[in-house]
Amino acid sequence: MEWGGEYSLDSSNLDCLLSVLPGELEFQQVLSDLDEKIKKNSSSIEQCLKDLQSEVNEVCTDEILQSATDCLQWLNNCNFSSLRPSSTHHGELMEFLRTLQSLLKNEQNQEEMILHFLLDLSSQCGVSFPCTPSGTSFELTSSLHAVEDDSTMDVKSLWNDVRLHLRRFLVNRLQSQEETNTNALQQQVEFKTQCIQQLLFLYPEAEVLTKYQNMQNKLVSDLLQNCILSSCGETNFDKVVHGYQSSIPTLCTMIKEDLYILSGTIDPSSSLKFINETYLDTITEEMTVLLERLCELQFKENALHIVTANKISKKHRGTVHAVASQEYHRKGRNFCLTLYQLRCLSQLIKLFLLMEEKIEELSAEILLVPSFTEKNKNVQGVLKKASGELLIGETRANETSVLPEQLLQVEEPILLNFGWRNAFKDLSSSVAHCITIAIEDFSTKILQHEQKEEFSAAGYAMSLVNNRQMRESCGAVQQEEQPKRIAKFCSDIMEELDTLLPLALACRDDSLQEIRANFVEACSKVATAVLARLEEKSKDIPSKAPLQDLYAALSTAIFVCQHFTMYSSLMRETSKKPLFLVPVQQYQEFINVLQFQVTSYCVRVCATSILQDAESHHWDDYKAFYEGERCSFSVQMWHYFCCALHHDLWTILPPKTAQEILTDVLEQSLAMLSSRYCQACPSYKRTPQIRIDITAVLMSTEDMLWSVCSSVQEFLNPHEDRDLKIYKIHSHCNSLLSVLAILTSPLKTLYETFLNNSDEHLPQDFSKVSYHPLNWLFCIPSPCSSLLKTSSAREMAAQGQLKLLLSQPYCNLNLLLETLLHHDCLLVKILLRSSGNEVLNRDEQSSLLEQINNKQPTLIETIFTVLSYCTLSPKSLGIAFETYMEKEQLWNRLYNMTVSSCSESEPEVIRCLKLTLINSVKGIVKQIISLMHSWEATENYGTYQHKQIVPESLLKTVPKEWNYTPREMKRKESGKCFTRLAAQAVSIVISKLPTVIACLPPPIKYFFFLAERKMSRNFAELKKAGLLVWNLIVIICRIFEDGNTAELLTGATLDRWSKEKLSLVRVCLESIMGKLKSGPKQVTQKVIQSIEQQRPNWIESQLLKARKLSTDCASVTVEGAMLEEGGIALGLTEQKINMMVLDICHKPGGSEYLRQIYHIIQLNEEYLKEQLSCENSEGVTSSQCLPLTLKGREEQPVFNPLQVHRQSCAKVFNQSTITEWNWDWSNLLPSYLGLNQMTFRVLLAHRWEMKEGAELEDEEKVMVEHLKNVYLTQSTPTSEDKEE
């Protein structure tokens, strides 16, 4: 049957998978597209069945099929005995085969031409060439033309000779392909698939697979032996590990290749059987032999050591005890392994575990089959194959029809079976014994070494190391919970345990259970020993060891607990009961105790040492403290202590724990300060000191508050039910501010605020007035008021957002993204504005060139990628890049993007947009090229056009009954198919455009919507389809125009014919978009007219639909944004930010991009603060754009008391700022009308004017007397009230 150009067969192939959650419009478009494809495919299938029905009715005149159902039943129960044979004369057949044989023997390089010629005969004429097993009798038959049953041994020998020659040719091609192995994976797979399919045309499936299996089997054996056994000298564990390290990646590539080849050739069960027998069984056998040899050598070596040990002495040798060796030697073939050998075995097992996981992924991805771990699960079974052979001729005729009941027979499904664990069975008992000894030995040595260092060291401080990252496979420990620095001895022990962990992870059957049991038991003992050591160290603090050791012990305990939790999680698949339950519980209890100990110790130090200052707190003294120009020593030392604590916690402990401890210490120490200052009764000269002290405490607290709050909401809106400790901190600060206001405010202002001059009773609204928890932040002489907007707006300024981000103990991704999107992406705009100068900085040129050469994303590319992932904030990308695009004059460059290789001069934004659009149309390009290939395969053009034309001598010998028409003659008749092919290709492009746009991320769609409004000229073409649709079609045209780009994009190989046809499709698309300067060619007009005839106005409606999808989504975005007052920040809740961060981190490189931006922000902190302050100064933009620092070394921060002192004097304890601060008493005091009456009376009684004998002026005496009568005389506070 001819190529079905008239059938619009179109797979609903959504290559642009929905990587984002679609909106309602996009979702409707995707569903309608799927529905349309299903309807088209069903109608095409019906048409195919009708055509088949008519052909069968023509051939089988005795059996007329009435409907499509009859046709399907006939195909299911097809019995070729009902076909009328059309005889082929024996002499003609002999002549034809002799000509084939002569050409193959006498002419060179004729094999490929003859193979295609035979395939052409089979497909065009229905001739079934026999593919019986080698050495068996056969018949040459045809589904439409059968040969007479007088075939002799001459015909058989001739055909066998022909196909044997062709088989050798194909096998040689396969082997030569293996030797070169330089082609890309996809090309190599296509080539091998074609060779195997041609072999299946000549020989039965079983024989072909056996031959190919033998080839691959030899390759695997040679690879393993060359990598492992060819090394000079005797084999040892080290060589085995290095050998498999180099060979396993190659083996995985070979398995992946064969899975792809077999998936298009045979059924999944046969493919898995092939992989099992060819690769997995061979690897297991080679590994078994190798380990047996190693065991033999090790056994002899141990025996020699035992004899030597008996003659010389019975010394303890490393990790192996001689006594234990003798005992195991007497038991049998057991021997002892050193720690190094155990490491090698563990590394080897780790390689096999990774290989097993990789093969599982490949089989599930390519064949959609269960994994190794699903063997024991309930499987429904598979349909049994009706016949494993290719039935032809008389065999088919004699075959009885297969009943449906037989087709539904259930058999045991074939699954992957990698038995590499069996190779380690002989080693299991030795490994199980030696692993216990090895773990106990190295842990004891490390602990003893640590103890010796402690006694010999003068400082007694614990040696710390940076914590390496946890296993990514665990995924349980978030960054905020990972310790930063831990004890070195513990790090060394856990590193060794990590090395030996694969020995325990390999246990899936009973033979290796002993290894895991001994590993768990030995680890539990080590955990107990380490815990005892940490407990011992914690008891030495602070008498013998510094306070930092307490933080280190806590961090180390958390590290060990997380590690054993991870071990338990990794081994949960093979263990029914939880492992390490007791050690984990012990460590959790110790961690809780230690965290409480750290907090209570710090608070106790503040209470008993730091805040005990008799000179500063002598409130009755009639002399001013340092002339009233500085705060108390205790307050200053409390600030230094908090700074040092902040540094130690931030550099040692996990971020979350560090914030918890600092919050507890800050809250409890503020509670003490609040209590003490509430009880102070200062003299006249000491009253300013109260004001200075409380101001310093509040400013210091404000400086610390940025570090203890982990989110903007926690800072701006502390809630008693959600953030109790933060709420208490605000409460204590407001209490201190009330002390400052009532004790130190001018008497006249206080009197006017709390008395009406006429009323002799308390204000009526005394209990009704309340204040916001953040009230104190807006009253102190601190820059915090500029970092926060009004407290009622509940919004933070851009500078405050940046300070909160950089005050965190780690890279808080949620807070980072919120900062980037905050205030209409103000921070991103500054980064983009400054990134243009990065090349001008000579020091940064090398790093930029490194990024280009290593294909590392630049800052602009990173920002673009992150913002394009922010689907819940679609305006952000356009808003962030709008100013940058205008400054660089890039809007007009979006009109005509090229697809050629990216040049260094091309702007990064354009390159990012181009790559996004190219990826979105990749599926369309693949489908068009697939259409070309399928058309070529049917019409024998392009890749099937053999270089040599079929000789006339061979064509003359083709039996006349076969009615063969040579391709050269047929080619002239099939010119009409060109129009159908181009029409179908153009229809695919136009039909898929709406779906492609629906699947694009909303930020990209909004960016093009914004760009369309920014274009400087009115392009007539854009009015038809819009900028986004225009660019998509332009990119598709550029890909079709450059065949190399199409090959690079899809991995397919295109010949000259395919490139010409793609060029024709390109011209048609350009004509549709009105991009051709000259008039369309006649062929182009025919293509477009054929589409319009079938579906009038369809092209225009599709383009309008695509434009509507792009503009409607963007306009919905704009309308939604207009409802949000103040930009995009207000619409982003914590939940939305969290969802976007999760989405970004699941995208390729997403989390790394965020961390790269964070690192650049850290390096340029001061510059960014300066730029933000200029932006906030009445919208003035700083004209000076300095180059950004893009790289910097991450050094361990060191606490410098002098530096902290200088910073404190400049920020917190700036005496001139504190003493000269103009307190707005008229606004501050009314906010305390709602103060508890008893508290107000106590504080009022503590004022120096209320004391007996105070020197007052007449006016002051009147006011004091009035206040006393109203507040103090009516209800004199008791001692209990004072304490309260």
Side-chain angles (χ1 to χ4, degrees):
M1 192 166 59
E2 298 292 338
W3 171 68
E6 62 273 15
Y7 307 122
S8 56
L9 288 171
D10 189 10
S11 59
S12 53
N13 195 6
L14 287 181
D15 298 283
C16 41
L17 294 175
L18 296 178
S19 58
V20 297
L21 188 66
E24 187 176 354
L25 290 171
E26 294 93 335
F27 197 69
Q28 288 177 357
Q29 171 58 35
V30 172
L31 288 179
S32 64
D33 187 59
L34 286 172
D35 189 48
E36 184 181 350
K37 297 295 182 297
I38 291 171
K39 289 179 180 177
K40 286 175 63 179
N41 287 345
S42 62
S43 62
S44 298
I45 291 170
E46 288 177 3
Q47 185 62 40
C48 286
L49 286 174
K50 288 180 181 178
D51 292 348
L52 180 62
Q53 177 185 344
S54 62
E55 280 199 37
V56 172
N57 287 337
E58 288 178 8
V59 176
C60 308
T61 55
D62 57 339
E63 185 176 356
I64 304 299
L65 304 179
Q66 301 294 334
S67 63
T69 306
D70 295 340
C71 187
L72 289 173
Q73 288 179 350
W74 181 87
L75 286 172
N76 187 41
N77 303 318
C78 185
N79 190 338
F80 287 100
S81 61
S82 61
L83 298 178
R84 291 184 177 180
S86 176
S87 62
T88 300
H89 194 271
H90 176 66
E92 293 181 0
L93 187 59
M94 287 290 292
E95 185 183 0
F96 173 71
L97 292 176
R98 282 198 189 99
T99 308
L100 286 177
Q101 185 186 42
S102 175
L103 279 172
L104 289 171
K105 287 185 176 180
N106 301 325
E107 302 288 338
Q108 292 184 349
N109 303 323
Q110 297 295 312
E111 291 85 358
E112 189 172 359
M113 179 271 294
I114 289 176
L115 269 170
H116 288 300
F117 176 63
L118 292 176
L119 286 166
D120 196 17
L121 274 173
S122 179
S123 62
Q124 185 189 147
C125 307
V127 177
S128 295
F129 290 93
C131 60
T132 55
S134 302
T136 61
S137 61
F138 70 99
E139 292 181 4
L140 186 66
T141 60
S142 168
S143 58
L144 302 181
H145 309 284
V147 184
E148 286 182 348
D149 193 17
D150 58 350
S151 300
T152 64
M153 292 301 294
D154 293 334
V155 176
K156 172 188 172 183
S157 60
L158 280 173
W159 172 243
N160 276 343
D161 189 48
V162 169
R163 66 175 184 165
L164 180 62
H165 194 108
L166 294 175
R167 187 180 77 175
R168 287 173 182 164
F169 166 74
L170 291 171
V171 170
N172 287 334
R173 291 185 75 182
L174 283 172
Q175 289 176 338
S176 62
Q177 184 76 5
E178 291 290 352
E179 290 172 3
T180 55
N181 199 20
T182 55
N183 294 342
L185 177 64
Q186 185 173 349
Q187 296 176 1
Q188 192 165 339
V189 167
E190 289 176 358
F191 175 81
K192 284 190 170 185
T193 303
Q194 184 184 13
C195 289
I196 289 176
Q197 287 175 347
Q198 289 171 345
L199 282 171
L200 288 171
F201 173 73
L202 301 172
Y203 290 92
E205 179 182 305
E207 191 169 340
V208 173
L209 290 180
T210 302
K211 181 65 179 176
Y212 185 61
Q213 185 173 336
N214 292 335
M215 289 172 50
Q216 296 299 91
N217 209 336
K218 187 176 183 303
L219 280 174
V220 174
S221 299
D222 292 345
L223 175 66
L224 293 176
Q225 290 173 7
N226 290 335
C227 290
I228 298 162
L229 303 179
S230 62
S231 305
C232 298
E234 61 183 30
T235 306
N236 55 31
F237 288 93
D238 212 4
K239 290 180 181 178
V240 172
V241 172
H242 288 303
Y244 274 96
Q245 273 180 336
S246 59
S247 61
I248 281 181
T250 308
L251 289 170
C252 287
T253 304
M254 291 172 64
I255 291 172
K256 180 179 181 180
E257 186 180 297
D258 277 346
L259 280 172
Y260 274 116
I261 292 169
L262 298 173
S263 65
T265 309
I266 58 178
D267 61 277
S269 296
S270 301
S271 301
L272 292 180
K273 183 181 178 184
F274 179 90
I275 297 297
N276 286 338
E277 294 175 355
T278 309
Y279 291 97
L280 307 185
D281 292 349
T282 306
I283 295 170
T284 303
E285 289 171 8
E286 294 287 341
M287 190 68 211
T288 304
V289 173
L290 199 58
L291 287 179
E292 285 178 357
R293 188 180 305 172
L294 287 173
C295 292
E296 188 69 30
L297 291 173
Q298 189 64 29
F299 183 75
K300 291 178 181 178
E301 185 179 343
N302 282 163
L304 181 62
H305 280 310
I306 292 168
V307 172
T308 307
N310 289 334
K311 288 180 179 180
I312 301 174
S313 66
K314 291 184 178 180
K315 292 183 179 180
H316 177 74
R317 293 181 178 274
T319 62
V320 183
H321 295 283
V323 177
S325 300
Q326 292 176 14
E327 179 184 349
Y328 264 67
H329 174 63
R330 286 192 295 269
K331 286 183 180 179
R333 298 284 293 173
N334 294 316
F335 48 85
C336 288
L337 300 165
T338 63
L339 176 59
Y340 179 75
Q341 289 170 336
L342 287 174
R343 286 178 190 153
C344 290
L345 281 175
S346 180
Q347 197 171 356
L348 189 61
I349 287 176
K350 183 179 180 181
L351 290 172
F352 280 113
L353 286 170
L354 291 174
M355 183 181 181
E356 189 176 65
E357 185 180 350
K358 179 66 175 176
I359 296 172
E360 274 190 38
E361 293 175 0
L362 289 173
S363 62
E365 175 188 348
I366 300 170
L367 301 179
L368 303 176
V369 295
S371 61
F372 295 103
T373 55
E374 295 179 355
K375 287 184 182 180
N376 297 325
K377 297 182 181 178
N378 293 327
V379 182
Q380 295 297 324
V382 294
L383 294 180
K384 187 175 181 180
K385 197 173 178 183
S387 175
E389 300 177 354
L390 297 177
L391 299 176
I392 55 171
E394 204 170 21
T395 312
R396 266 276 174 96
N398 296 332
E399 181 193 21
T400 57
S401 59
V402 182
L403 297 176
E405 292 80 2
Q406 291 174 310
L407 286 173
L408 294 174
Q409 290 178 9
V410 177
E411 65 177 17
E412 186 69 24
I414 298 176
L415 298 176
L416 288 170
N417 184 20
F418 197 4
W420 62 269
R421 290 173 177 81
N422 297 329
F424 291 86
K425 282 184 178 180
D426 292 340
L427 279 169
S428 60
S429 58
S430 300
V431 172
H433 171 68
C434 295
I435 196 171
T436 305
I437 298 174
I439 291 175
E440 291 178 358
D441 188 73
F442 72 68
S443 60
T444 304
K445 281 185 175 180
I446 292 172
L447 287 171
Q448 288 175 351
H449 179 71
E450 191 271 338
Q451 204 161 12
K452 287 179 183 178
E453 281 190 345
E454 178 185 305
F455 291 144
S456 61
Y460 202 83
M462 195 183 297
S463 178
L464 303 180
V465 292
N466 290 331
N467 175 25
R468 53 190 176 81
Q469 291 295 321
M470 281 265 193
R471 285 173 60 115
E472 292 184 3
S473 59
C474 176
V477 181
Q478 301 294 331
Q479 188 187 2
E480 62 180 7
E481 297 175 352
Q482 288 187 6
K484 294 185 177 179
R485 288 174 68 79
I486 55 173
K488 183 181 182 303
F489 76 91
C490 184
S491 176
D492 295 340
I493 290 174
M494 299 311 296
E495 188 174 351
E496 291 288 357
L497 291 179
D498 284 348
T499 306
L500 300 179
L501 176 64
L503 292 172
L505 295 180
C507 303
R508 273 189 183 166
D509 48 17
D510 296 334
S511 61
L512 303 178
Q513 292 294 331
E514 187 182 359
I515 298 176
R516 190 185 65 193
N518 288 7
F519 178 82
V520 172
E521 183 181 356
C523 285
S524 299
K525 290 181 181 178
V526 171
T528 305
V530 171
L531 182 61
R533 185 74 185 122
L534 292 175
E535 287 176 343
E536 182 183 341
K537 281 188 164 294
S538 64
K539 292 175 183 176
D540 293 337
I541 302 165
S543 58
K544 297 180 181 179
L547 180 60
Q548 284 81 357
D549 280 13
L550 197 60
Y551 312 142
L554 176 57
S555 181
T556 304
I558 294 172
F559 173 78
V560 177
C561 184
Q562 289 174 352
H563 242 73
F564 284 120
T565 304
M566 180 192 72
Y567 287 176
S568 182
S569 175
L570 290 173
M571 286 189 265
R572 189 170 296 164
E573 292 182 3
T574 57
S575 175
K576 296 179 181 178
K577 59 181 180 179
L579 305 173
F580 304 108
L581 188 60
V582 175
V584 168
Q585 288 179 348
Q586 290 175 344
Y587 271 90
Q588 287 174 344
E589 292 173 2
F590 178 68
I591 289 166
N592 292 334
V593 171
L594 215 56
Q595 185 169 345
F596 177 77
Q597 184 180 345
V598 169
T599 306
S600 60
Y601 175 81
C602 293
V603 174
R604 195 163 59 249
V605 166
C606 290
T608 58
S609 301
I610 295 176
L611 298 180
Q612 292 297 331
D613 186 3
E615 181 184 359
S616 301
H617 294 167
H618 187 195
W619 305 118
D620 292 336
D621 195 351
Y622 288 96
K623 293 182 180 179
F625 182 72
Y626 283 84
E627 305 299 329
E629 294 181 354
R630 64 156 295 144
C631 67
S632 303
F633 295 125
S634 58
V635 172
Q636 195 164 358
M637 292 310 297
W638 171 76
H639 172 75
Y640 291 153
F641 176 79
C642 288
C643 290
L645 177 66
H646 174 276
H647 172 270
D648 290 339
L649 296 177
W650 257 232
T651 54
I652 296 175
L653 286 170
K656 187 177 180 180
T657 308
Q659 281 186 313
E660 288 176 0
I661 292 176
L662 185 62
T663 305
D664 285 341
V665 173
L666 185 61
E667 186 270 321
Q668 294 183 40
S669 58
L670 280 174
M672 282 190 298
L673 286 167
S674 176
S675 175
R676 292 189 180 185
Y677 281 98
C678 280
Q679 298 175 25
C681 299
S683 62
Y684 170 72
K685 291 288 187 179
R686 288 290 180 129
T687 297
Q689 186 191 347
I690 291 280
R691 186 186 304 126
I692 294 172
D693 278 6
I694 292 178
T695 304
V697 168
L698 294 179
M699 292 177 69
S700 178
T701 303
E702 179 268 329
D703 192 49
M704 287 289 167
L705 194 62
W706 298 96
S707 298
V708 298
C709 294
S710 57
S711 68
V712 175
Q713 286 302 316
E714 196 173 336
F715 192 103
L716 294 178
N717 189 25
H719 198 275
E720 190 172 2
D721 298 330
R722 186 181 60 187
D723 314 303
L724 179 60
K725 293 175 182 176
I726 302 295
Y727 185 83
K728 285 184 176 180
I729 289 174
H730 285 288
S731 178
H732 297 321
C733 290
N734 280 304
S735 297
L736 286 168
L737 188 62
S738 66
V739 173
L740 181 147
I742 306 301
L743 279 186
T744 68
S745 60
L747 179 62
K748 184 177 181 181
T749 310
L750 180 73
Y751 176 79
E752 291 174 352
T753 303
F754 286 90
L755 287 179
N756 293 331
N757 294 330
S758 58
D759 297 337
E760 296 295 331
H761 52 78
L762 298 177
Q764 296 297 323
D765 58 352
F766 215 67
S767 59
K768 295 180 181 178
V769 181
S770 61
Y771 53 86
H772 192 268
L774 266 64
N775 180 59
W776 65 277
L777 283 171
F778 295 93
C779 299
I780 59 175
S782 167
C784 182
S785 56
S786 63
L787 304 182
L788 301 174
K789 296 187 177 179
T790 58
S791 59
S792 59
R794 306 282 175 86
E795 190 180 350
M796 189 174 284
Q799 289 171 280
Q801 196 92 29
L802 179 63
K803 183 173 182 178
L804 183 63
L805 171 67
L806 297 177
S807 299
Q808 300 303 301
Y810 71 111
C811 175
N812 189 328
L813 297 182
N814 286 23
L815 197 53
L816 171 62
L817 185 61
E818 188 176 358
T819 306
L820 294 176
L821 301 179
H822 187 269
H823 203 66
D824 288 343
C825 305
L826 178 59
L827 184 63
V828 175
K829 290 177 183 177
I830 295 173
L831 288 172
L832 291 173
R833 189 171 67 214
S834 305
S835 65
N837 298 331
E838 58 191 32
V839 183
L840 302 177
N841 188 358
R842 293 181 180 178
D843 296 334
E844 295 297 330
Q845 282 184 354
S846 59
S847 66
L848 193 68
L849 289 175
E850 285 176 7
Q851 282 185 339
I852 294 172
N853 295 332
N854 298 333
K855 296 183 179 179
Q856 294 179 353
T858 61
L859 175 61
I860 293 178
E861 291 173 350
T862 304
I863 291 174
F864 181 93
T865 306
V866 168
L867 293 182
S868 66
Y869 289 160
C870 296
T871 55
L872 297 179
S873 178
K875 279 185 65 181
S876 56
L877 181 66
I879 288 175
F881 279 89
E882 184 176 2
T883 307
Y884 177 80
M885 295 285 287
E886 290 173 353
K887 179 186 173 185
E888 301 293 329
Q889 298 179 352
L890 297 178
W891 289 119
N892 289 337
R893 297 192 65 163
L894 294 177
Y895 174 68
N896 201 4
M897 289 193 286
T898 61
V899 188
S900 57
S901 58
C902 301
S903 59
E904 294 183 10
S905 61
E906 185 179 31
E908 293 158 311
V909 184
I910 304 299
R911 184 163 67 244
C912 293
L913 284 168
K914 182 176 69 179
L915 290 175
T916 303
L917 297 186
I918 287 174
N919 287 329
S920 67
V921 300
K922 191 184 292 184
I924 295 179
V925 175
K926 284 182 177 179
Q927 192 169 349
I928 299 299
I929 292 176
S930 176
L931 176 69
M932 297 287 176
H933 284 168
S934 64
W935 198 88
E936 289 170 357
T938 309
E939 290 297 319
N940 209 9
Y941 281 72
T943 56
Y944 281 87
Q945 182 183 354
H946 28 271
K947 296 178 182 178
Q948 307 93 337
I949 299 174
V950 180
E952 190 67 28
S953 59
L954 180 59
L955 290 175
K956 288 180 180 179
T957 61
V958 177
K960 295 180 180 180
E961 289 81 359
W962 293 356
N963 294 327
Y964 175 67
T965 305
R967 286 293 179 182
E968 291 300 320
M969 296 176 60
K970 202 163 187 289
R971 185 174 303 175
K972 299 175 184 177
E973 301 171 3
S974 59
K976 297 179 182 179
C977 292
F978 287 142
T979 304
R980 291 207 305 270
L981 172 67
Q984 190 169 4
V986 171
S987 298
I988 289 174
V989 174
I990 300 299
S991 66
K992 282 191 173 292
L993 274 177
T995 305
V996 168
I997 290 177
C999 296
L1000 278 173
I1004 299 294
K1005 285 185 273 193
Y1006 178 79
F1007 190 91
F1008 277 96
F1009 175 78
L1010 184 65
E1012 195 169 338
R1013 295 188 298 175
K1014 294 284 184 179
M1015 302 294 267
S1016 60
R1017 293 174 293 166
N1018 293 323
F1019 298 106
E1021 300 90 342
L1022 296 182
K1023 296 179 181 178
K1024 186 175 182 180
L1027 182 61
L1028 180 55
V1029 180
W1030 168 268
N1031 272 291
L1032 286 172
I1033 295 181
V1034 164
I1035 283 177
I1036 293 172
C1037 291
R1038 293 289 178 269
I1039 293 172
F1040 289 166
E1041 183 180 16
D1042 185 4
N1044 296 330
T1045 304
E1047 289 181 339
L1048 189 65
L1049 190 66
T1050 61
T1053 305
L1054 298 175
D1055 58 1
R1056 182 174 55 83
W1057 182 90
S1058 299
K1059 292 178 181 178
E1060 288 176 358
K1061 298 311 160 193
L1062 287 177
S1063 180
L1064 175 62
V1065 176
R1066 172 186 64 82
V1067 174
C1068 293
L1069 290 172
E1070 289 179 347
S1071 176
I1072 290 172
M1073 296 303 295
K1075 196 169 183 289
L1076 288 177
K1077 295 181 180 179
S1078 59
K1081 297 180 181 179
Q1082 186 176 1
V1083 179
T1084 307
Q1085 289 178 340
K1086 284 184 179 180
V1087 171
I1088 298 175
Q1089 284 175 3
S1090 66
I1091 298 174
E1092 289 292 337
Q1093 285 174 0
Q1094 288 185 3
R1095 289 182 281 187
N1097 300 324
W1098 175 77
I1099 295 176
E1100 187 176 354
S1101 67
Q1102 284 293 109
L1103 293 177
L1104 288 175
K1105 187 192 293 185
R1107 177 174 175 80
K1108 188 173 184 296
L1109 272 169
S1110 61
T1111 55
D1112 283 3
C1113 296
S1115 52
V1116 166
T1117 301
V1118 174
E1119 290 171 9
M1122 291 175 63
L1123 297 176
E1124 301 169 4
E1125 298 180 2
I1128 62 177
L1130 286 177
L1132 296 174
T1133 61
E1134 286 187 19
Q1135 185 180 6
K1136 286 185 179 180
I1137 292 288
N1138 189 48
M1139 287 174 64
M1140 283 194 288
V1141 168
L1142 288 174
D1143 190 32
I1144 291 172
C1145 291
H1146 281 94
K1147 299 288 176 59
S1151 58
E1152 292 303 318
Y1153 291 154
L1154 286 172
R1155 288 188 173 86
Q1156 182 183 342
I1157 296 172
Y1158 178 78
H1159 183 58
I1160 292 173
I1161 291 173
Q1162 273 186 317
L1163 294 174
N1164 300 275
E1165 178 180 358
E1166 296 302 323
Y1167 170 71
L1168 293 174
K1169 286 180 179 177
E1170 178 188 346
Q1171 293 291 313
L1172 286 173
S1173 63
C1174 292
E1175 293 282 348
N1176 291 337
S1177 301
E1178 298 179 1
V1180 178
T1181 304
S1182 175
S1183 58
Q1184 185 180 10
C1185 289
L1186 299 176
L1188 292 172
T1189 305
L1190 299 178
K1191 284 190 176 182
R1193 296 179 180 177
E1194 294 185 5
E1195 299 178 353
Q1196 189 66 32
V1198 179
F1199 183 72
N1200 187 346
L1202 298 177
Q1203 184 180 0
V1204 173
H1205 174 72
R1206 286 194 299 271
Q1207 292 175 349
S1208 301
C1209 290
K1211 297 179 181 178
V1212 180
F1213 299 112
N1214 191 334
Q1215 303 301 327
S1216 59
T1217 302
I1218 296 176
T1219 54
E1220 296 173 7
W1221 177 255
N1222 185 20
W1223 291 92
D1224 190 0
W1225 302 111
S1226 58
N1227 287 329
L1228 177 62
L1229 285 172
S1231 63
Y1232 290 100
L1233 289 173
L1235 193 66
N1236 180 275
Q1237 295 183 21
M1238 191 60 66
T1239 304
F1240 175 76
R1241 287 175 179 139
V1242 169
L1243 293 176
L1244 183 64
H1246 291 172
R1247 285 183 66 99
W1248 68 271
E1249 295 96 340
M1250 299 299 170
K1251 295 180 181 178
E1252 295 294 334
E1255 298 180 0
L1256 301 171
E1257 296 180 359
D1258 293 341
E1259 184 182 358
E1260 292 175 336
K1261 288 180 181 179
V1262 172
M1263 289 187 288
V1264 167
E1265 198 64 33
H1266 196 180
L1267 286 169
K1268 283 183 178 180
N1269 291 336
V1270 174
Y1271 293 109
L1272 302 181
T1273 307
Q1274 293 179 1
S1275 176
T1276 304
T1278 63
S1279 59
E1280 293 180 1
D1281 297 331
K1282 289 184 179 182
E1283 290 178 5
E1284 183 182 351

